[in-house]
Amino acid sequence: MTELLLIGIGTGNPDHITREGIAAIRAADLILIPRKGAGKSDLAGLRERIITDATDTPPQIAYFDIPARRAEDGYLKGVDEWHDAIALRWQAAMEDHPDAARVALLIWGDPSLYDSSLRIAARLDPQPRVRVIPGITALQALTAAHGIPVNALGAPFLVTTGRRLRDEGWPPAVDTAAVMLDGECSFQALDMSDYHIWWGAYVGMEEQILVAGPLAEMAGEIVETRARARADHGWIMDIYLLKKREN
């Protein structure tokens, strides 16, 4: 039975990987690396750098292309079908290397927080033994970069997505929300005078960009900065924290 190692590698800083993650890379017989198109080739390059830094004798690497995601039949069905297609790519790459007893994937951030690697792994047949090596999340990297706690004293906070913020508005019974997977700057759908924002792109990387302040004052700057950064790099990963302002 194959062992599948899902290794959290943090948010783009090679120093984020833990000693446990380095040991897992060294133990792997094969590492699968996704390719997301020429404009995002530096994401594959970062994974290659992490592997090279971790060991003097790198394991085999197999590349696979990420299939396009479709949403004609709705968001959730589109994502479900997309995960099916990715699982088939993993399966094919593993079958091409039948002697690899330990196969690893380097997961951006952490496999447990808004990442689908565990759901994709559950689709493999036969089922491998899955081992998760935790990594630094984008939320941790964001609050560290801004030097702030994520929650008020003894208070809850919510981690959600841009889509839910747009569709459902501000979540009830919380004063703080971390928003991930937001390609549309969904904070613009809120009454912006009520919130303070801490935003970051490429958090933890050399390209890191940070903006913070009252949302009504910073929203335009964030929208423009995000669009410019995406045009410059061909891709962007960003996250932000919103807090209700006290009256």
Side-chain angles (χ1 to χ4, degrees):
M1 180 182 291
T2 300
E3 183 177 27
L4 183 64
L5 308 174
L6 302 178
I7 306 171
I9 60 171
T11 62
N13 184 338
D15 290 337
H16 282 181
I17 191 164
T18 64
R19 291 173 62 181
E20 184 182 12
I22 291 172
I25 290 173
R26 292 174 176 171
D29 302 309
L30 175 70
I31 296 181
L32 306 183
I33 293 183
R35 290 184 294 205
K36 299 185 178 183
K40 299 182 180 180
S41 59
D42 50 346
L43 298 180
L46 178 65
R47 287 179 167 93
E48 293 165 353
R49 177 183 168 187
I50 288 172
I51 295 167
T52 300
D53 288 349
T55 177
D56 294 329
T57 55
Q60 293 186 84
I61 293 175
Y63 297 90
F64 66 95
D65 295 321
I66 294 288
R69 190 173 72 190
R70 302 174 61 184
E72 291 88 345
D73 298 323
Y75 172 78
L76 292 178
K77 184 175 181 183
V79 170
D80 192 55
E81 293 174 348
W82 185 50
H83 290 168
D84 287 341
I86 295 174
L88 291 175
R89 304 288 174 94
W90 290 11
Q91 192 90 45
M94 293 164 70
E95 289 174 355
D96 286 341
H97 299 82
D99 295 331
R102 289 192 183 93
V103 179
L105 284 116
L106 307 186
I107 306 301
W108 209 263
D110 182 90
S112 69
L113 182 60
Y114 280 107
D115 178 81
S116 294
S117 54
L118 283 163
R119 283 181 281 271
I120 295 168
R123 290 163 158 82
L124 299 175
D125 185 20
Q127 266 290 288
R129 293 190 306 270
V130 177
R131 178 181 162 209
V132 176
I133 294 88
I136 291 174
T137 67
L139 177 55
Q140 292 170 290
L142 177 75
T143 54
H146 282 287
I148 57 171
V150 68
N151 62 293
L153 187 63
F157 67 93
L158 181 74
V159 182
T160 188
T161 66
R163 180 177 62 87
R164 297 188 73 99
L165 193 67
R166 291 192 307 275
D167 293 349
E168 302 168 12
W170 184 258
V174 296
D175 292 327
T176 304
V179 184
M180 308 179 74
L181 305 177
D182 185 10
E184 300 185 33
C185 295
S186 300
F187 50 76
Q188 297 174 98
L190 301 172
D191 182 348
M192 291 190 284
S193 63
D194 289 343
Y195 302 94
H196 195 104
I197 190 168
W198 292 264
W199 176 84
Y202 315 105
V203 182
M205 302 181 71
E206 293 179 359
E207 299 88 348
Q208 175 176 281
I209 309 169
L210 301 174
V211 176
L215 179 57
E217 299 175 17
M218 299 299 161
E221 179 181 344
I222 292 171
V223 171
E224 293 176 8
T225 300
R226 190 183 192 282
R228 185 167 56 249
R230 182 167 187 170
D232 289 345
H233 296 285
W235 63 278
I236 190 167
M237 290 185 182
D238 63 330
I239 180 175
Y240 55 92
L241 190 74
L242 288 170
K243 289 181 182 284
K244 279 191 172 180
R245 302 181 69 187
E246 295 182 0
N247 294 326

